[in-house]
Amino acid sequence: MADKDVLIDIFTRADLIMQSDIKFRKMIGAGQLQIVYYPVRGQEVVSAAMMAAVNQEDYLVTIYRGLHDQLAKGIPSKDLWAEFAGKMAGTCKGKGGPMHITHPETGVMVTTGIVGSGIPIANGLGLASQLEKDGKVTVCCFGDGASNIGAFHEGLNMAQIWKLPVIFLCQNNHYGEHTHMRDTTGSETIKQRGDGLGLRSVRVNGNDASEMYAAAKEAVEYARAGNGPTLIEAMTFRFHGHLLGDTSHYIPEEEMEQALKDDPMPILRQQLLDMQISETDIAAIEAKNAATIEEAAQFALDAPYPPGDEYRIDVLDVEIAA
Amino acid sequence: MADKDVLIDIFTRADLIMQSDIKFRKMIGAGQLQIVYYPVRGQEVVSAAMMAAVNQEDYLVTIYRGLHDQLAKGIPSKDLWAEFAGKMAGTCKGKGGPMHITHPETGVMVTTGIVGSGIPIANGLGLASQLEKDGKVTVCCFGDGASNIGAFHEGLNMAQIWKLPVIFLCQNNHYGEHTHMRDTTGSETIKQRGDGLGLRSVRVNGNDASEMYAAAKEAVEYARAGNGPTLIEAMTFRFHGHLLGDTSHYIPEEEMEQALKDDPMPILRQQLLDMQISETDIAAIEAKNAATIEEAAQFALDAPYPPGDEYRIDVLDVEIAA
Amino acid sequence: MSEKPAEIMFAQACNMAMNKAMADDDKVILLGEDIADEQGGGVFKVTAGLSAQYGTDRVRSTPISEQAIVGAAVGSALVGYRPVAEIMLMNFITVAMDQIVNHAAKLRFMSGGQTSVPLTIRTTTGAGTGLGGQHSDMLEAWLAHVPGLKVVAASNPADAYGLLYSSIMDDNPVIFIENTPTYFTKGPAPAPDHVVPLGKASIPREGTDVSLITYGRGVGASHAVAEKLASEGISCEVVDLRTIAPFDEETVLKSVAKTKAAVVVHEAVKNFGTGAEISSRIHEELFSELKAPVGRVGSGYAPVPFSPAIEKAWMFSEDDIEREIRKILG
Amino acid sequence: MSEKPAEIMFAQACNMAMNKAMADDDKVILLGEDIADEQGGGVFKVTAGLSAQYGTDRVRSTPISEQAIVGAAVGSALVGYRPVAEIMLMNFITVAMDQIVNHAAKLRFMSGGQTSVPLTIRTTTGAGTGLGGQHSDMLEAWLAHVPGLKVVAASNPADAYGLLYSSIMDDNPVIFIENTPTYFTKGPAPAPDHVVPLGKASIPREGTDVSLITYGRGVGASHAVAEKLASEGISCEVVDLRTIAPFDEETVLKSVAKTKAAVVVHEAVKNFGTGAEISSRIHEELFSELKAPVGRVGSGYAPVPFSPAIEKAWMFSEDDIEREIRKILG
Ligand SMILES: Cc1ncc(C[n+]2csc(CCOP(=O)(O)OP(=O)(O)O)c2C)c(N)n1
Ligand SMILES: Cc1ncc(C[n+]2csc(CCOP(=O)(O)OP(=O)(O)O)c2C)c(N)n1
Ligand SMILES: [Mg+2]
Ligand SMILES: [Mg+2]
């Protein structure tokens, strides 16, 4: 079991994620936000534990389903919410949107909407750190489905031969869009593929904060010591389908029931209680997160949209003529 | 040890390859042919044994370094030589050239110059056979270096989940262009990658006719029985560099010496002798091959070039206007 | 309401075309992510019901492996199949360009005509709905530049039906581009045997003052502008290319020879877009007859922006078309 | 012979530009297959000696993994490096288009300008030497159509030196296209501090009757034709774009405003090629001043054929340029 402070840290991040996800779904459902949203409910602990094991300066590359990673890595809620809402005050001036969050101050370098494409880019960040000798690691998140695409193979291999300080965090939620992993993946596990490529590979219950944190910590130390990359296959589940509106019709009822029973959030909360962290203290964390989210949501709704001709800025290093 | 008839068959194919390679290099060296040529000397037995284990109707997909595969599969020397020489009588009317040999009558469906790209296409042939239930297998040849590219990963995985009748023959000659495998490949072996992807994978001495033939035979039977693909990593070597003119400066002397000592051709010849096949019989095979090659080479030199405006034909199903 | 002729949605028309092709020819097979019914019949439900009807042998959900998807289509096409591969969104063809360009487009030629690749790649895209930079690009200009490929885009459900059927039955590799934002717009239902030949443009609206040469979503926008300008006495002819490459030069040149003015309209980025080729061809053939240089309308020089206001400012629009028409008509 | 000014080969000029960039800025790193000296310094030896000088940390031979190569360049560029990635031959960008188009070109924009991608992708290609369908394509039109990318091609060693240096030091992603068949042709050596700015065309030959707008290998061919026609009193101006996208409209339009006639010349397939955009822009701006429609020269509508006679017939040629000039000059 990870120690108290670590678990509190993880819980604090995970709860922010959970509450944010709930709020986003609510606001979208109510028509207050009109965006394509990839829910993260169920996967909170994976990224909370992972990001608790790295520093703010360390890099993150993630995907369209990235809210949990981005919040866990520390992007301020206001900036993130404003970007989701397409506002000028958003992390990317509203130009990127939810699928393309960048926030260098917290190390979030790329969020991609192309399955698997973050992996080769993460190597580039790792390569820079290796050359700089700056001691940073790069965390690269992607899904089980992404392990079927060529970039995964090329990227993991290059990281291994060059011993790049990159942690490949495969958040295995069993499904890629509507297709179960068993129908797309010739190997039993994703870890097996990492083994086949020669890199250090582990498979953990990503929904268990302590187990996930231990694996993350070990991978980070391994990378910082110059030993190279690790593939972490973190087993988890997503409770609200591929994107909001998806009814999860393709998930057998028993599977969903079991997954909900294994919901990592109440389990983690109970672990805190079991460690004698008081209900009051936990409630205080939750309340603080709730307040942060309320404020961020309101900020996002109130903030102005970017002007139309922003499209001519940031294409090249000079403004494009109208 | 494979039986006599099989070994004679393999030797007959391998000797044709060896003599063809020697002749091509000679003619190019003498300026009689001006083409980019990828020598196959050293890899004869791999493809001779593989193709001895399949039928003419079975499909082959191969690469720029494909002369050995194409001859072993049975493309008539005249047609092949004429294509290498860019003549209208060539397999592809001179439009494809050495890197792009197609000859459906002998099952040679694609020769690609793009590393790794034959793999996904081989799956398509396998898929057709699976749907047709025609009992055919597809042999897909590529090199060790090709195992680093995304298409390899995607292709092998798809073959496995769909149990396609495809044999992935990785001819591991230790080098991709001028780079040794150890500098590009995170795993010890290519077989390991196949294992990681969940498919039946074996590693054999491709230069040993019997061992190679046994592996080929087994893979073919496995595929025909509907069990799916096999990855065969066949260890071999290329004696004359990546392409003609390459001095192999990047190959350590001892490595080259050892490889030459292991030259599969004299070993196979000796095996025939050891099996009481007479020198006369062997010499007759060699003489027949030599005659075939002489005739093909002369034919290729004498045959007319295609007319310039052939470029408007075969682009689409209708001729393109001038 | 009961008077109205039967209408169907664009997505439905594509579904029906595939259904008919599969019924007519058992060599037609479908490959793509989530396309079978167990996975919901495609994220936009364009393939819904087809695996139930024809089985998952012929309608195959695939891994997220676009190179393998297109490769499997190329290989099976080489030996007599008519695969229809779905690349979920057009931006994802970037990972499969090798299979499309170096293989599908070239194997007929490089084999000296011994083999052919009668495959269809269906893909969808389109801006204006806030999907942002990596899910909205119109990349038809790339494919039009590749000898050996046909490129097709329909502007209405009936054409989609007739063109997709023709694409599948064509003996050349065809890229069939659908438009996500208009998937669920309706139009008159085609007759079951309705076929639209490839390579033939249509003239959905005749006019005398200017020809609007367009395709896909540009057709609706051009119609709207034509309607508006009609009230001012400006008569626009709308030419719907339907096949973008190789395009129907005869129909285009005939129209412009009549109107003596043209604007080419597309959603894709204007710079180096398909409009440039069409404009050049018109100038080359009809230079001395033109009232003014051919105008072009396309989207701006930027990735597709996420935020609605920027996306709108960036995107081709009816206003742009109108402005361009007024400019060249003086 | 001793009078002759120092000459260098094209390939050498590229080598020298990278050498200078690496010396000037230790954030310049090279990635590519076989590029380090242990592997021979590149298959065409363009990077020879650089790993000896700067170490294999900065000059890295890679696996055959073009997505990983470009991805590593993108990632390191995001945090301050100036990577130069070599894609051995241009046809192989087809496997890396996602990294180039969806990422390198878009990350500055999609991040709202927080990050930038100052990478250079060097690649080589060119027909006419019998490499056949998959090793000779000129695909610059694709890249020119992608907002956020610069596309550069040099026509002589000195420009190659000055342009490659500028490309590496540019803060935008640049595709630098080399030409294999002319790698070993010579030209005057540049001064060590010679820099050619991106976005600026040159006029290597002035003339009054017609402007030949071209780049890369088209420049030599255009010069040769200009030379030939000069004897007949036809005066050709040659405009070498050097940067294909975004191209120097000002110089092009100024030249054509003077000559009142233009032919655009490139090696790439003519249909939907870059020549269409340039031709369209000229028509749009100078329509009423032109003596005749802008001519275009490019290669034929076919994959690059292997056999020499077909390849020659297919390929753009000096004859084509001459014919086009005569056609428009009447
Ligand atoms: C190259 C590419 N192909 C297809 C898609 C469409 N797509 C978006 S998400 C997704 C599923 C990815 O599944 P997984 O990697 O398991 O991640 P998850 O969504 O489960 O988190 C697909 C197919 C894409 N974005 N990029
Ligand atoms: C996608 C791609 N990248 C690079 C090349 C250039 N190239 C041609 S052959 C080759 C080496 C391939 O090595 P391997 O797969 O081991 O096969 P071998 O040549 O040894 O038979 C390379 C890098 C290519 N043809 N295609
Ligand atoms: Mg998943
Ligand atoms: Mg090899």
Side-chain angles (χ1 to χ4, degrees), chain A residues 88 305-311, chain C residues 309-310 313:
Chain A
M88 190 68 182
Y305 283 104
D309 54 11
E310 264 291 325
Y311 83 81
Chain C
I310 330 181

Side-chain angles (χ1 to χ4, degrees), chain B residues 35-36 83-84 86 94-100 112-115 145 148-149 176-179 184 249-250 305-306 308 311 315 320, chain D residues 34 38-40 43 62-66 88 91-92 95 131-135 300-310 313-314:
Chain B
I35 57 170
V36 175
E83 187 62 28
F84 271 62
K95 295 181 183 184
M99 274 204 261
H100 306 300
T112 185
I114 309 293
V115 166
N148 293 313
I149 203 156
E177 296 214 337
H178 307 164
T179 309
T184 60
H249 55 84
Y250 48 86
Y305 283 105
Y311 82 83
V315 181
I320 308 299
Chain D
D34 295 320
E38 198 190 337
Q39 287 79 38
V43 282
T62 65
I64 309 172
S65 307
E66 281 81 3
M88 193 184 289
N91 278 84
F92 313 156
V95 294
L131 279 168
Q134 293 180 335
H135 283 66
Y301 183 81
V304 183
F306 167 69
S307 191
I310 328 180
W314 163 85

Side-chain angles (χ1 to χ4, degrees), chain D:
Chain D
M1 292 291 273
S2 59
E3 324 277 81
K4 237 178 154 186
E7 293 214 319
I8 59 167
M9 291 186 299
F10 196 105
Q12 212 177 336
C14 296
N15 182 288
M16 287 163 54
M18 286 186 272
N19 197 334
K20 177 159 198 298
M22 295 194 82
D24 288 357
D25 184 346
D26 60 15
K27 297 289 184 171
V28 176
I29 57 173
L30 313 188
L31 303 163
E33 292 156 17
D34 295 320
I35 65 169
D37 290 318
E38 198 190 337
Q39 287 79 38
V43 282
F44 300 110
K45 306 228 173 286
V46 180
T47 50
L50 297 176
S51 74
Q53 200 162 344
Y54 300 101
T56 49
D57 258 8
R58 288 180 66 196
V59 180
R60 293 190 178 224
S61 285
T62 65
I64 309 172
S65 307
E66 281 81 3
Q67 295 190 66
I69 294 169
V70 179
V74 171
S76 56
L78 286 172
V79 289
Y81 279 78
R82 295 194 172 279
V84 183
E86 177 177 305
I87 299 294
M88 193 184 289
L89 286 171
M90 190 164 206
N91 278 84
F92 313 156
I93 67 163
T94 50
V95 294
M97 284 299 277
D98 164 59
Q99 286 294 334
I100 299 173
V101 173
N102 289 325
H103 296 89
K106 292 177 180 174
L107 287 175
R108 178 194 286 270
F109 186 83
M110 296 196 309
S111 73
Q114 294 175 99
T115 56
S116 63
V117 188
L119 67 74
T120 302
I121 295 175
R122 289 180 44 246
T123 189
T124 185
T125 189
T129 57
L131 279 168
Q134 293 180 335
H135 283 66
S136 320
D137 283 339
M138 301 287 310
L139 302 171
E140 66 272 16
W142 295 358
L143 303 156
H145 187 44
V146 178
L149 290 183
K150 292 189 178 179
V151 186
V152 173
S155 65
N156 62 73
D159 275 8
Y161 179 81
L163 285 167
L164 180 50
Y165 185 84
S166 291
S167 298
I168 297 170
M169 296 305 171
D170 198 85
D171 284 337
N172 304 288
V174 180
I175 315 293
F176 186 86
I177 305 171
E178 300 166 17
N179 187 268
T180 329
T182 57
Y183 257 151
F184 306 107
T185 57
K186 288 191 167 185
D193 62 352
H194 181 66
V195 168
V196 178
L198 301 192
K200 291 274 165 251
S202 71
I203 306 213
R205 180 188 183 103
E206 297 199 8
T208 52
D209 296 330
V210 59
S211 301
L212 307 181
I213 323 282
T214 184
Y215 52 85
R217 206 177 180 183
V219 175
S222 297
H223 262 297
V225 175
E227 200 60 48
K228 177 173 173 195
L229 295 185
S231 64
E232 296 181 27
I234 300 177
S235 166
C236 302
E237 176 147 307
V238 178
V239 179
D240 181 351
L241 289 181
R242 305 198 291 198
T243 300
I244 304 169
F247 76 97
D248 181 356
E249 294 199 13
E250 197 185 318
T251 301
V252 168
L253 295 174
K254 222 170 116 185
S255 170
V256 183
K258 180 179 75 175
T259 60
K260 314 219 182 297
V263 175
V264 190
V265 177
H266 56 58
E267 174 179 342
V269 166
K270 182 166 121 181
N271 288 23
F272 298 91
T274 61
E277 175 71 25
I278 297 160
S279 163
S280 295
R281 290 295 301 131
I282 296 172
H283 286 119
E284 283 157 14
E285 298 299 325
L286 298 170
F287 182 72
S288 56
E289 301 177 39
L290 290 171
K291 292 183 271 205
V294 177
R296 281 190 296 157
V297 171
S299 295
Y301 183 81
V304 183
F306 167 69
S307 191
I310 328 180
E311 192 183 26
K312 189 152 181 283
W314 163 85
M315 197 174 169
F316 95 113
S317 69
E318 295 176 17
D319 286 351
D320 295 340
I321 302 172
E322 186 181 333
R323 196 178 321 112
E324 203 69 11
I325 294 172
R326 292 193 192 281
K327 194 172 90 190
I328 69 169
L329 295 186

Side-chain angles (χ1 to χ4, degrees), chain B residues 210-284:
Chain B
S210 300
E211 190 176 336
M212 180 64 218
Y213 181 76
K217 200 81 191 156
E218 228 183 315
V220 169
E221 278 159 17
Y222 187 82
R224 288 213 213 279
N227 297 313
T230 297
L231 169 67
I232 302 178
E233 179 181 8
M235 303 309 295
T236 185
F237 210 82
R238 33 152 243 224
F239 296 154
H240 296 282
H242 176 59
L243 46 72
L244 198 57
D246 166 3
T247 58
S248 301
H249 55 84
Y250 48 86
I251 302 181
E253 240 169 72
E254 322 78 71
E255 189 180 350
M256 184 56 102
E257 255 166 43
Q258 185 58 51
L260 289 171
K261 244 185 241 156
D262 298 339
D263 186 341
M265 292 308 296
I267 293 175
L268 176 56
R269 196 176 196 282
Q270 187 58 47
Q271 283 172 352
L272 293 194
L273 290 169
D274 292 349
M275 283 181 122
Q276 316 305 332
I277 299 160
S278 72
E279 177 62 42
T280 325
D281 286 355
I282 296 175

Side-chain angles (χ1 to χ4, degrees), chain A residues 143-145 171 173 175-176:
Chain A
D144 46 292
Q171 306 189 12
N173 58 18
Y175 287 86

